Each structure stands twice: as C-alpha cells, then as structure tokens.
Amino acid sequence: MNTTTYKSLRFAVLGGDLRQLHMASGLSKSGCDVKLYGFDGYTDSTEGLTVYNDLKSVMKSCNYIILPLPYSTDGVTLNAPYSKKSTKMNEIYDLTTKEMLVLGGKFSSHDLNKRGIKTIDYFEREELQILNAIPTAEGAIQTAMEERPYTLSRSNCLVVGYGRIGKVLSSMLKGLNVNVSVSARKFEDLAWIKAYGMNPVLTGELESIISQYDIVFNTVPAPVIDKTVLKNSKKSTLYIDLASKPGGIDFEEARLCGIDTIWSLSLPGKVAPATAGEFVKDTILNIIKQEGLKNGTE
C-alpha cells in the first residue's frame, strides 16, 4: 500500500494503553485518518492526535475499528485505563455496521459475527507473536537485573520452553555471557539449543537439575514448575514467569518454600510501548492488505 492508498483508511481507535496510542500515531503518520477515543483522562501528549469524547461521532465515518490488547478485562467494558468513563462493549457493537472490519487483541464476538460483521484477533497473528518476543525478553532481563544483587554475566540461568520467547530470550542471555540452559520437550529443539551453544535440558527432567540455577525464566503456559521441582530448587533462586495465564509455576508452593517468584505479564506494553505499538500497527496493515482494502480500493 502506498501513501495515497493509506488515505482511504479511516480508523476508530478505541481505548487501550500506551501501545494503542503509539499504534494510532503510527497509522496517522502513515497517512491514515485516525480518530482516538478512550484517552480523555490522558494528560501527556497524544502524538498529534485528537481525542474524541463522543463514541458515535468517532465510529460513524470509520471503516476499521481497532480495539486494544486485551480488548476488555471483564468481557463487558472496553479496556480503557486512560478514560474517565466506562464504555460498554455493547455500545460499540450497536454502532458497528457490516461495512466495518473490527480488529482487537484477544478478541472475538459471536454477536457481531451473527450480524455479518467480520472480526479478527490481531494478537493471534504469528508476526506479532514473534516480534512481541523481543520486548518480552528484554523486559525479563531487566526484571532479573533489578531483582538480583549481582550481574547476569556468568550466572547460571535456565529458560523453560523453546518457543518464540524462549528462542529470543536464550539468545539475548547468551550475548550477556550468561551460562544458559534451555529446556524443551522435543528432541529436535534440544538439538537446536545445543547447536547454538547452550545447554539442552529435557523439560521432564527439571527436578534433577533445577538446583544448579540462580534464575529460572518460564515461558510455558502450563504447570511445569510444580511442587516437586520447587522442593529441589535453591531457596535463593529467582523464578520469573513470562507465560500467560495460568502460568507455569505453582506460586503457592513457591511461597511455602520461601522462593521468590515474579509473574511478568504484558511486558511489551510496559517496557517498550512505542515499539510494541509499532508492531501492532504493522500487523494491522498486514491484515488489511490480506483482507483487501475497504472503501472501494484494492
């Protein structure tokens, strides 16, 4: 899409945190028509964007609605931490038409789909998941550095899981001269871990080796750090869970064992909102390219 084509894209950007604000700014700088709603309580610069207080006026002329990540924290109201008022999702749905495409993070709506309105969860896009691993890994390292009284260099660290985040995080740690071990279930992943100069560990064998580590980063959203593993861990070990709910650590057992744990959720929006917003912007434009432009353009 060129700049002329971008001008045909009219966005209603509703609610969200600083990621959403930076994403909206990026769309505007690309030439898109962007109206911002849900930031009436935000006191800093809105990146040259106009904040609207009337939902109807924002939505009446748009062809794309962008909801935040997550779109709602309770399934009822819009996730809008910078707004002084509460907006029900049903208010948004009632103003949505078949000519609009609705994009949101961790979002779906059977009500809209039944009315013939298409919805897309941009958080499920693989390119966004991969790119979000970068600020997540950086945030995890920042957390470890803030919580420990010694350098990461030459520390013994274990990364549990070799998915998107595990790959990026283990690579960054290795670059900091950390003694990195990575656990995985698949033997092909263990081979890659070894090929990249890190120590491969079978996830099912954590109990026997866990006492070696100063810091453990979990990336697996399943109960892998259980009572048995924790009882064999050093009490001085710091556990940082990066996995989405339900997480991978038995936090109650860790508390009983006197082991420090930190559950670091939504790190991209916390540690690098501008970069995270840029990633969301690029992902949304990718989706629009694939879906075909609305308002008569191709």
Side-chain angles (χ1 to χ4, degrees):
M1 288 186 288
N2 56 37
T3 304
T4 302
T5 302
Y6 283 139
K7 291 180 180 178
S8 70
L9 307 183
R10 303 189 304 276
F11 292 92
V13 177
L14 312 181
D17 56 19
L18 292 180
R19 283 174 295 186
Q20 190 85 331
L21 182 60
H22 286 289
M23 178 272 298
S25 176
L27 289 174
S28 178
K29 290 174 181 176
S30 296
C32 304
D33 179 13
V34 180
K35 292 184 177 179
L36 196 63
Y37 172 88
F39 282 85
D40 51 282
Y42 187 69
T43 56
D44 292 335
S45 170
T46 54
E47 302 282 333
L49 296 167
T50 301
V51 177
Y52 293 79
N53 293 319
D54 179 52
L55 179 64
K56 187 174 182 180
S57 64
V58 170
M59 291 186 59
K60 67 179 180 180
S61 62
C62 73
N63 43 26
Y64 297 97
I65 299 171
I66 305 181
L67 302 174
L69 171 62
Y71 80 100
S72 174
T73 57
D74 58 9
V76 177
T77 57
L78 176 70
N79 175 21
Y82 290 107
S83 180
K84 297 177 182 178
K85 59 184 178 181
S86 176
T87 302
K88 302 289 186 183
M89 293 306 302
N90 283 339
E91 296 178 54
I92 297 171
Y93 297 161
D94 289 343
L95 294 170
T96 307
T97 68
K98 291 182 179 180
E99 290 71 35
M100 299 174 181
L101 175 63
V102 185
L103 304 104
K106 299 183 179 180
F107 170 72
S108 64
S109 172
H110 295 300
D111 291 338
L112 290 180
N113 297 151
K114 286 179 181 178
R115 289 162 45 194
I117 298 169
K118 186 163 186 174
T119 62
I120 295 176
D121 185 347
Y122 58 75
F123 184 65
E124 292 185 350
R125 294 279 296 200
E126 184 67 14
E127 72 264 41
L128 183 58
Q129 292 280 346
I130 292 170
L131 292 172
N132 269 341
I134 299 169
T136 299
E138 289 188 3
I141 291 171
Q142 176 183 335
T143 300
M145 294 175 71
E146 290 173 348
E147 293 294 325
R148 297 282 84 178
Y150 46 78
T151 63
L152 287 181
S153 176
R154 302 181 69 180
S155 296
N156 294 320
C157 293
L158 171 67
V159 177
V160 180
Y162 199 57
R164 306 177 195 93
I165 296 173
K167 288 181 173 69
V168 175
L169 176 57
S170 59
S171 177
M172 287 185 180
L173 289 170
K174 190 171 185 297
L176 291 172
N177 196 35
V178 174
N179 299 322
V180 184
S181 296
V182 185
S183 83
R185 297 184 184 277
K186 297 178 181 179
F187 289 104
E188 62 188 84
D189 286 339
L190 295 175
W192 279 114
I193 293 164
K194 186 174 183 179
Y196 283 120
M198 296 173 286
N199 181 42
V201 176
L202 269 172
T203 300
E205 297 178 357
L206 291 180
E207 174 187 348
S208 62
I209 51 88
I210 197 68
S211 62
Q212 303 174 23
Y213 301 105
D214 304 308
I215 304 172
V216 176
F217 301 90
N218 176 62
T219 70
V220 180
V224 288
I225 312 294
D226 57 16
K227 179 178 181 179
T228 304
V229 174
L230 289 166
K231 283 191 175 295
N232 284 279
S233 173
K234 295 185 297 185
K235 291 189 182 298
S236 61
T237 300
L238 172 65
Y239 283 83
I240 300 175
D241 201 337
L242 305 173
S244 57
K245 294 181 180 180
I249 298 174
D250 186 334
F251 293 102
E252 177 59 22
E253 184 61 34
R255 185 187 66 80
L256 294 174
C257 292
I259 295 173
D260 290 337
T261 59
I262 299 174
W263 200 356
S264 296
L265 297 173
S266 302
L267 282 176
K270 295 174 182 176
V271 303
T275 301
E278 185 74 11
F279 292 160
V280 174
K281 180 211 74 172
D282 291 342
T283 300
I284 285 171
L285 292 179
N286 289 345
I287 291 171
I288 291 172
K289 289 176 187 177
Q290 289 185 340
E291 291 294 314
L293 302 181
K294 293 185 181 293
N295 198 33
T297 55
E298 296 181 353

